[in-house]
Each structure stands twice: as structure tokens, then as C-alpha cells.
Amino acid sequence: MPLDLADSPLTRARLALADALAALPDGGALALTLPPGAGKSHAITAWVSSSARPTLISTPTRDLGRDYAEALGAHQHVGRQGPDGDPRALCHRLSDVQAAGDRHHMPAASVCRQCPHGLARAYDEAVARRDEWKARELARRLPADRDKREEIPRCRWIYEALRDTLNAQVSIITHQAYADSLAICGNIEDKRAARDIVIDEPPDLVAEITISSADVTQWIDRAEWAECYAIQAECQAEDRAKTARTAKLRRLIEDESNKHAERAALCRDVRPVLEDLGRAILERRLPDEKLRARISEIVKRAKEVRAFAAGTAPWERVWLAPESGIEAPLRALSALDQSLRTGVARVAGACLAAYEATQIGGLLIEPPRRHRVVVADATASPELRAVIAARGGQVLDLPIAQNVRIRRMVGRTYGRGPVEASKYPAHAQNMIARLKCIAAELPRPAAILTHRAYLDGASDGQAEDLAERFEAETGVAIGWWGRDERGHNRWIGRHIAIVGMRLLGPHDQASLYARARAAAIWAGADPADWPEWDGSTERYDGVAAPLPTVPAARRWWAARLAADLVQAIGRARAVSHTGPEPIEVRIYGGVWWDDLHQALDRYGLRVDEECPEAIEPPPEERIRRTALALHERGVRVSAAQIAEALRGQEAGARRALILQVLAELRGAGLLPPGGAGRPRKSVPAPYNTYMDWEPILSVPSPSPPAPTGAAPPDGGADLRREESPSPPPPAAPAPAPAPAPAPVVEPLRFVPLFDPLPPAGATHPPLPWQLASPEGGGITHMNYEQPKPLDSGPPRCRA
């Protein structure tokens, strides 16, 4: 290795990373925050290979997990599959499992425990092991007829695919498949050992559960049903106690009868509590202190009588029909109790929002001390840092300079667009045309990251097909937020254009902030560092969109947007780029303010240059340019010809506006008077895509309008009606002119509809359609209230 490479910052960071992994103690936690492409996955692979302990690696996608599996020769977990999937992972009640998951149930504790296919397979296993007691208990839950019992298809996923994952030395799973049982190597019958756990790009640590009045109503109904079931079970136990042969057996049955009696009383006492909870939800307020205490008391009683199974109360349990169908009430009361006690519950519109740690979040927030946990995330969130610090772990920050040049293109926000469904296809088509212009300006090879809504709207939901056609036409790959900013290596060495940020509305921002706040507070962070935020926003000076009014929420939102940008830029792997020129990144639009610049600085990135983006002219100017261009090419200008040309430019305008602009141009003498009949020439084909605007921009300013009653210019007719102009006055016959020479047709030059980027440092005077603001820059928005300045921070303008 050359000496300069051995002493490079990247090499030193990789050595520090390997040392930190080797020194990780039992029960310790380590978060790796190197930039994308710095070698986190390689270091983890080497650490796992050299370790003799079983390991579980959780990844966000199967593709990333496949890379780990190939590098380590590990087993990749297969989730539940339908009839068309892997036969070893066949699940006969897959739709019911998905329905239970949508209602926040854990399938293994809700559906699988009462699924007849799993019970039949468990019965076969018990018979094979000669476990008579377990076989007898399982037989009570299956059909008594042996032939009918044998006809039940056996579950294969639990006893084949899942068993392979449990027994493998190194297993690869996705985040959605994680469960506490997978953190242990081996089956229940075998010797079991705690695994080392690697979490690559962790998901949200806390999930939000919204409770509506309809959910509470269902709980009340199910509580009444659960009470009847408990009373029936109590009566059956009493009958069995009367025929018990021994005193010991009689005491066991009496204990069971008392347990059913306590459950019946619990289901009877919870209904008034649930009625008051539903009343609070209808009034859109949090439960008061008295109601919170009653909810906590109900949850405590349910746990004492063992009525809570995997956090599920009796009135929340899933009911599974024998053949098909499922009834799954929302599982949320335990989460609501914890959220109310810790002060993280909130009112979300017409619902009450409660929070519960996800499976991976629970591993990190309340970790069992026997696991070593490694989290690989180039952009560790503030809540993740708080959780790791609270459990005594280490966050390894190793910022490395990246060989990248960032240009921020100023002009538009590039949001997802109008919400009206009828208007969105036209808007999406215009945005695809703009993306093609951006692709033409990028150096090669290149990729574009934008909103999927643009591609869906322009292709009737066929975003993948449109992305393939876009790359075939332009030579530039295109992806979208939510899929292509993380977890892939397809854009290594490409220049990147980020068109629009993943902006969210205040309601979604408040939901994400509440989840982050719950994770940090539950891990032991100071609540003063995570104040409550109700989702209120306000406009600030120089910011394109409203921002949270709470400073802590603003900083958190900036950190989240910066993480998205860092991950997107990291797809080019600029940290290890050794080309003669740096990777060029252009960021179009988005929302920028001081906190976002500071968040990028923490990752070693900064905006090197701010360039004004080419501004699309307003409809009046577009019509004016099109009309004059047609006139220069010898085409008789009419409203129909202009409308056709605008459609070729993927634009449009109202006919009344076209007629108004034509009247102004003819009144100023820039166009001849309109004539009757069809135009002499059709619109040339080049006007359907591109036009040369240089001759138009040099047209002199319009002359002052003639006084009232004056004759039209050039002896023309009255221009108030384009369709039927007055004929010119008769004139004396003139001698025939000499034949004119044939006109010389100049070749058309094709230039983009939008102006190219100006050179660095160039200044341009404001265009005629741009209104100057009082400060001298940008368009003055008269209909908006004046924004307020931010409290503090460095200047927003960067060199």
C-alpha cells in the first residue's frame, strides 16, 4: 500500500472502526456513523467472520441482506410466503397474519397460537417426541375425528423456514421480520445461546398507534363478550372440581376457577373506563389525571391475573375463524397506559395517539444485557444517539471529507405538486419534461433522485416503466425518495441531481417528532431536551415553507432532512472517489435555513455554490415568445397556431389570454393585422419541442399605443376582433413588381426551452416578467403575510 494511502483519513477511520468492534464488551452497544462508502459493511463482515459467536444481521431490504449473505456464506431468512412462494415458508393464513399486523398485533402471539395448521403440525411433533401430555392438550384444540385432523394442511413456515433461521450460525433477516425469538440461536429443545446483533440502517424505534372512538366502541363490545366467556369457563371449572378425585387436583381446578372469576370482573369493570376514554376522544382531549389512574389500575389488574398475553388484553384478542376470516380489534391499551404515564401521548385530530417501541426499538431502548449490539447508520438520528448514550454505549463519529462539489439551484421548491387529482397528470407531465432538461445539463454518468409522484402521475401509476424509458432516452438513471436514497450501490461514481426534498406536512412532522421524543425519553433522556410540539408552524424570512415553532423541533427536522441528503449523496460513494474531478451534486429546490446548513456541516458537507435556476416564463410571456417566433418563420399567426405550438411545448393557455396577447402585439405593430382563412403554413415540427428565442429577445420595446380614433398601424384594420377583420380600403392598381429572389432559409438551431445555467459569478438584469422585491431580489408575494425572522444562526447565504 502506498504511504499516502496508508496515512489517509479514510484508512485511519477504517482502522479505528475495526478497533472499536474488537473491543466491544458483552452487553455493549456501538453505533457506527461513517459516511456511506467508508467501509462499515466491510468492517462488520470481517468482525462477524472472525467471531465464534452466533450473529443475527438485520437489514432494511432483502437486496442488502443478500450482499451480507454472499460475503459471509450465511443463511438468509425467508418470511411467510403464499402458495406461489417458497414451499418451505408456506403460510396458510397469510392474509390473516397481515390483517392482524395492520391492527398492531404480533402474529406469533395472536394468529399462530390458534391457527389449526400450526396446531396440527405441533401435534405431529409432540407425537413424534412421545410427549403424551402435550399431544393430549393439542388434541383438545383440534377436531376429534382423526380423519378430519389428518386432512388439515400442516404449517411449514414455523417448522422449516423459521427453524433454519434459528439454527444457523449467522442469519440475515429484514427489519420487518425481527422478533425476540430470533435473537437466540437454537431451538427450545436444544442448547440456546444469545446472538450478537447487527442492525444496518435501523428503522424507526417507536411506532404510533392512533385510537379512535370506533376502536373504543369495539373494545367495549369485546369486553362484554370476554366477560361471558370467562363466566362460562368458570362454570365449567366448578363442574370439574366437583368430580375431582384428589384434593390436590381439586385445589388446582379451584385456582383456575378463581382466575376466570377475576377475568370476568376485570372485563366488567373496564367498560366504564372505556366509555370515559371514548368520551375524551370525542372531545379531542387527553384523559385527565383521574382517568389515567383508572387506566393504569386496569392494566395492572390484567397483568396480575395473567390476562395480558404479549401485551394484549382480553378485549383486544384476535378471533380467528376455523376456515378463513379474522376479527382483530386494535391492540393499544397497554401502549396508551405507558404513553400517558410518560407524558408522550397526544391528540392527533379526532384520535388519540399512543406510542409503543417497535421490535428493534425495544431491543435498543430496553436491551437485554447479554447481547452485543452494533448499529451501522451513516446518519444516526438524534433519538438513536440519545438511546445509545442512555444505555452506556458508544457513538463512533468519524467524519471524512468527501470528494464532492455541491451546487444548490435556487428558484423553485419542487414539492409534490397540487393535490387535485384532475390537475396532477398535467403537472406531472410538465415535471418530467423539466427533469429531462435537468438530465441534459448534467455531466455523465449521472442519476436523478426525485418524487415518485411525478413518475406515477405522468404514467398512470407505471413509475418503474417510465423510469426505464427515461434512462433509455436521456442516459440518466432516475429514482425516487423512499426507495433509492438508501441501501443500494447502483449509482457509484455517478453525478447526482436531487430534485426536491422529502418534505412533509405539519401533521406528519408532529407524528415523527412525537415518536423520536418517546424513544429518547423512554431511554432516559432529559425531557427538557425534547419539549412537546403540537405541530404548529410559522413562516420565516427566506424559507420557502413553514417551519416548526419550537426550536428543538426545528433542529430535529433539519437533522432529518440533512440525513436524507447525506444518504442520497452517499449513493455516489464520493468518500472513496478517486477521479480527476469531484462528484458533482446539484440540489434543486427544497427548504433551506440555518439549522439545515449546520446539520450538513456535522457530516462534513456544505453547499459550495448557489446558482439561480432558469425561471419558466409566465403564460403571457410564453404566448408572446411563441407568436413572435412563428411570425419570424413566415407563419400567419393565429390563436389556433399558438395553442398548437404551446401544446408541443407541454404547456397551454386560455384562448381568451392568447387573443389578448395577440391584440397587444398587433396594436404595438409587432405583428401584422390578422387575416381571414386558414394559415399559409402549418407549424413547423421543430416548434413542437424546441425553439430559438434569440431573435425574439432582441425585438425592440413596444411603441406607445396610438391615440383614440387614430388609424391602425400600417393602414391595417381594427384589431378588436381577430376572427373577422375589416377589409383594407381599395387602392389603385400598381405596376407588377419585379420577381424577388428566392429567400435564403437559415438552418434552425435547437436550444432548450429554459435558459442554460449562467457562468459562476455572472449577474443578470431582471427579466420583464419578474417583479422586483423591495430588497432587490426575487418575486414579491403580495398575498402572503410578512414572514418573521429566525431567532439566531449564521447567515443563510453560502459562497
Side-chain angles (χ1 to χ4, degrees):
M1 179 185 295
L3 185 60
D4 55 345
L5 293 180
D7 196 33
S8 66
L10 181 58
T11 303
R12 291 196 300 269
R14 289 174 175 174
L15 292 175
L17 174 59
D19 293 340
L21 287 170
L24 185 62
D26 290 343
L30 176 65
L32 311 177
T33 60
L34 280 76
K40 297 186 298 297
S41 299
H42 178 76
I44 290 173
T45 301
W47 177 65
V48 173
S49 299
S50 62
S51 175
R53 302 178 61 169
T55 306
L56 180 71
I57 302 177
S58 180
T59 61
T61 62
R62 286 191 58 83
D63 291 340
L64 185 56
R66 189 177 299 111
D67 295 339
Y68 276 111
E70 292 175 355
L72 293 167
H75 168 76
Q76 188 168 16
H77 174 71
V78 180
R80 293 176 175 88
Q81 303 285 317
D84 299 331
D86 188 345
R88 290 178 57 83
L90 177 62
C91 176
H92 298 275
R93 307 296 290 263
L94 182 61
S95 59
D96 296 334
V97 168
Q98 295 170 346
D102 293 340
R103 298 295 284 171
H104 200 64
H105 285 271
M106 289 180 286
S110 58
V111 177
C112 295
R113 288 188 177 181
Q114 51 181 313
C115 175
H117 307 281
L119 294 175
R121 182 62 181 266
Y123 173 80
D124 295 341
E125 296 278 331
V127 172
R129 294 194 309 269
R130 297 183 179 181
D131 190 344
E132 298 181 1
W133 180 85
K134 189 171 184 179
R136 187 167 52 252
E137 291 296 321
L138 290 170
R140 292 174 54 190
R141 305 176 63 182
L142 292 170
D145 190 308
R146 182 175 180 179
D147 294 336
K148 291 183 178 180
R149 188 165 61 237
E150 294 296 332
E151 292 175 358
I152 299 175
R154 268 43 176 178
C155 173
R156 301 191 63 182
W157 179 78
I158 293 178
Y159 294 93
E160 296 181 32
L162 181 59
R163 182 169 291 176
D164 292 342
T165 302
L166 293 172
N167 292 333
Q169 178 72 8
V170 179
S171 295
I172 315 295
I173 65 171
T174 58
H175 295 331
Q176 295 84 355
Y178 179 82
D180 291 339
S181 59
L182 297 178
I184 304 297
C185 180
N187 290 312
I188 298 177
E189 296 81 7
D190 304 328
K191 184 178 180 180
R192 311 181 75 185
R195 293 180 182 269
D196 291 338
I197 299 176
V198 177
I199 304 171
D200 197 336
E201 297 185 10
D204 290 336
L205 305 181
V206 171
E208 182 179 76
I209 312 172
T210 54
I211 308 171
S212 67
S213 56
D215 295 324
V216 177
T217 301
Q218 188 178 22
W219 285 347
I220 295 174
D221 295 340
R222 291 299 301 272
E224 184 177 358
W225 175 87
E227 180 187 2
C228 296
Y229 177 83
I231 293 175
Q232 181 181 3
E234 180 186 4
C235 295
Q236 294 175 353
E238 291 177 352
D239 293 339
R240 295 203 313 272
K242 295 177 182 178
T243 58
R245 297 181 180 180
T246 63
K248 182 178 180 180
L249 179 60
R250 187 179 300 106
R251 286 195 300 271
L252 292 175
I253 297 177
E254 289 176 354
D255 292 341
E256 180 183 353
S257 176
N258 294 334
K259 180 185 68 174
H260 289 307
E262 291 175 352
R263 290 185 177 183
L266 175 68
C267 295
R268 181 171 56 253
D269 296 341
V270 76
R271 292 202 291 272
V273 178
L274 295 178
E275 291 173 358
D276 292 343
L277 176 62
R279 189 174 299 107
I281 294 176
L282 291 175
E283 296 174 358
R284 300 195 176 189
R285 61 175 177 83
L286 290 174
D288 54 23
E289 293 295 335
K290 184 177 180 181
L291 181 56
R292 295 183 186 186
R294 294 167 63 194
I295 293 175
S296 296
E297 179 64 24
I298 287 293
V299 172
K300 181 180 178 181
R301 285 177 55 188
K303 293 179 179 179
E304 290 176 351
V305 300
R306 298 182 180 180
F308 258 47
T312 305
W315 49 87
E316 298 173 335
R317 290 183 181 174
V318 169
W319 183 80
L320 196 64
E323 298 297 333
S324 63
I326 186 174
E327 182 183 354
L330 183 67
R331 187 182 72 89
L333 190 64
S334 178
L336 176 62
D337 175 47
Q338 183 185 16
S339 301
L340 291 173
R341 286 188 288 104
T342 56
V344 298
R346 68 185 185 95
V347 176
C351 299
L352 199 61
Y355 299 90
E356 184 177 59
T358 61
Q359 291 287 304
I360 290 181
L363 172 71
L364 295 174
I365 295 173
E366 299 177 357
R369 297 300 177 182
R370 52 184 176 172
H371 299 289
R372 293 190 299 179
V373 180
V374 176
V375 180
D377 190 357
T379 54
S381 62
E383 60 269 22
L384 177 61
R385 292 174 177 271
V387 168
I388 296 295
R391 65 167 292 179
Q394 178 187 4
V395 179
L396 189 63
D397 284 311
L398 297 173
I400 306 172
Q402 303 190 42
N403 189 12
V404 63
R405 177 176 176 80
I406 301 177
R407 301 175 68 185
R408 179 190 166 205
M409 315 306 293
V410 182
R412 302 175 61 175
T413 306
Y414 286 100
R416 281 184 289 257
V419 296
E420 294 85 352
S422 60
K423 297 181 180 180
Y424 202 84
H427 171 76
Q429 291 285 354
N430 292 336
M431 293 310 304
I432 295 298
R434 178 64 185 130
L435 292 176
K436 292 181 179 179
C437 293
I438 292 175
E441 299 167 357
L442 290 173
R444 297 296 191 272
I448 295 176
L449 181 70
T450 187
H451 302 294
R452 174 168 182 161
Y454 294 163
L455 285 80
D456 278 333
S459 62
D460 195 18
Q462 304 298 321
E464 288 81 2
D465 295 341
L466 180 55
E468 294 179 0
R469 296 197 303 270
F470 186 96
E471 185 172 3
E473 295 174 8
T474 64
V476 176
I478 188 169
W480 48 81
W481 291 109
R483 190 194 72 170
D484 296 301
E485 80 278 9
R486 293 173 181 259
H488 71 88
N489 301 320
R490 298 189 302 272
W491 295 352
I492 294 179
R494 292 178 180 253
H495 305 279
I496 294 180
I498 302 173
V499 183
M501 295 181 184
R502 188 158 55 174
L503 303 178
L504 301 174
H507 175 76
D508 295 329
Q509 292 182 33
S511 174
L512 292 175
Y513 176 77
R515 300 180 201 181
R517 179 172 178 264
I521 291 177
W522 290 347
D526 186 359
D529 297 334
W530 293 85
E532 293 188 34
W533 175 49
D534 60 357
S536 58
T537 59
E538 195 170 9
R539 287 189 173 272
Y540 295 92
D541 185 20
V543 186
L547 297 177
T549 55
V550 177
R554 276 203 305 272
R555 291 191 296 270
W556 165 86
W557 181 232
R560 192 174 182 92
L561 292 179
D564 286 342
L565 293 177
V566 171
Q567 290 285 357
I569 295 171
R571 297 311 100 203
R573 297 297 190 261
V575 70
S576 56
H577 179 66
T578 58
E581 297 294 332
I583 294 292
E584 182 170 343
V585 176
R586 299 182 183 180
I587 304 177
Y588 291 79
V591 178
W592 293 84
W593 75 102
D594 300 330
D595 294 327
L596 181 54
H597 285 289
Q598 294 172 8
L600 284 176
D601 287 342
R602 288 192 288 271
Y603 295 109
L605 297 174
R606 63 182 293 113
V607 177
D608 299 294
E609 183 181 2
E610 292 187 352
C611 303
E613 186 185 358
I615 302 176
E616 184 179 354
E620 296 85 350
E621 182 62 23
R622 187 185 290 272
I623 295 171
R624 179 178 179 274
R625 291 182 178 187
T626 304
L628 293 177
L630 292 174
H631 175 61
E632 287 292 326
R633 297 297 187 263
V635 179
R636 181 173 295 172
V637 182
S638 68
Q641 292 285 55
I642 292 178
E644 182 181 351
L646 290 177
R647 285 194 295 270
Q649 303 170 28
E650 296 185 349
R654 293 179 291 107
R655 179 177 177 83
L657 182 60
I658 296 176
L659 294 176
Q660 176 185 344
V661 174
L662 286 178
E664 294 174 356
L665 292 176
R666 288 169 177 156
L670 301 179
L671 288 180
R678 297 175 61 85
R680 294 192 302 270
K681 297 181 181 180
S682 61
V683 178
Y687 290 113
N688 292 336
T689 54
Y690 296 98
M691 293 186 180
D692 186 0
W693 298 110
E694 293 182 3
I696 304 170
L697 298 179
S698 61
V699 174
S701 302
S703 57
T708 304
D714 300 329
D718 187 2
L719 301 182
R720 287 176 294 177
R721 292 179 56 86
E722 180 201 5
E723 293 81 357
S724 57
S726 303
V744 178
V745 180
E746 297 181 358
L748 293 175
R749 290 178 294 134
F750 303 101
V751 299
L753 285 175
F754 300 96
D755 301 331
L757 294 175
T763 59
H764 298 275
L767 298 177
W769 62 86
Q770 289 181 294
L771 302 176
S773 65
E775 292 76 17
I779 298 177
T780 304
H781 300 279
M782 300 298 182
N783 297 329
Y784 296 98
E785 59 180 356
Q786 293 297 324
K788 297 183 179 181
L790 286 170
D791 299 335
S792 61
R796 281 176 292 276
C797 297
R798 299 295 175 98

